[in-house]
Amino acid sequence: LFLSRDKPAATRNEFHSIADSMAGRESLVVESSGAELQGTWYLTVYEAVESDFPVPYTLLLSEGSDVPRAAPAPPVLEAGADPLERGRIATVQLVGAMGIGSGCLMGEKGYIISNAHVVTSPDGRIAEEMIVAVSLDPFQVPVEAFTAEVLDVRIEDDLALLKITGDRWGRPLAAGTAFPGWEPGDPDALRPGEPVMVLGYPWIGSGLSRPYFTITRGILSGGELTPGGLLLKTDAVISG
């Protein structure tokens, strides 16, 4: 978002205020009042897409720092009618200052398992909070619906544990809110040759600035014991 005065901002050097992030919900705050706000202001919305492929968006204007009245309530996540739909709903996208990645909802309390590199910066800083986006429609960009706190990170295993704590605006969730989730399997029951599906939000194959939900399939090709644990091999394409 570029906010400029008297004329539209043609470049990043002509703005009065700017807000940009990897999340599609930038907030731009103007800390001026009275005569400083008088005049004509222009808000430029920039999205990295083709000029002949318009992207819909919504602008909310409010006075003060409270949550806008028009802010929608978070969606109710249903478990899904079949395993593929349940897997799509329980596979979430995590968005934050450190980047974008995938995660798995684990159980109705809103716990999420992801990778440590999703919530960690190159210099080792760990994000305090991530936005959780869900694929309500598999052919549309995921909807940012919740915020999650990073509870624990294990760099050596590239694992992170998060928990949903509120909606995308930070408001508390309704009492009794439950989430669909993945059920852990039995690694000892794995056999080479069994079918494998990979679900997530890879950058590869996504034409917009946000990855879409993607699923690929293959077989369990084998496994290899390493100091970090058992690594599984598959011929399923893992894009991104």
Side-chain angles (χ1 to χ4, degrees), residues 146-219:
F146 307 101
T147 54
E149 176 187 3
V150 179
L151 299 179
D152 195 14
V153 175
R154 295 180 60 176
I155 301 295
E156 63 275 15
D157 297 320
D158 195 22
L159 290 174
L161 177 65
L162 303 87
K163 188 178 188 300
I164 293 177
T165 55
D167 72 358
R168 60 175 283 187
W169 303 96
R171 296 173 298 191
L173 299 177
T177 298
F179 298 91
W182 288 93
E183 295 183 7
D186 180 6
D188 294 330
L190 294 174
R191 296 292 181 268
E194 291 184 333
V196 170
M197 289 191 174
V198 179
L199 297 80
Y201 295 86
W203 279 108
I204 303 300
S206 295
L208 302 177
S209 62
R210 291 289 296 276
Y212 279 44
F213 174 79
T214 301
I215 180 170
T216 60
R217 66 179 180 177
I219 64 169

Side-chain angles (χ1 to χ4, degrees), residues 87-136:
R88 173 173 57 83
I89 296 298
T91 302
V92 299
Q93 185 182 66
L94 299 175
V95 186
M98 307 306 179
I100 294 181
S102 303
C104 297
L105 278 167
M106 306 296 293
E108 61 182 18
K109 294 186 180 298
Y111 287 98
I112 299 172
I113 291 180
S114 184
N115 296 111
H117 68 261
V118 173
V119 302
T120 307
S121 67
D123 61 1
R125 291 179 294 112
I126 299 174
E128 297 181 358
E129 183 181 83
M130 299 288 286
I131 298 298
V132 181
V134 294
S135 177
L136 302 180

Side-chain angles (χ1 to χ4, degrees), residues 4-8 38-42:
S4 56
R5 191 169 186 172
D6 299 329
K7 66 177 182 178
Q38 295 181 5
T40 303
W41 293 80
Y42 294 86

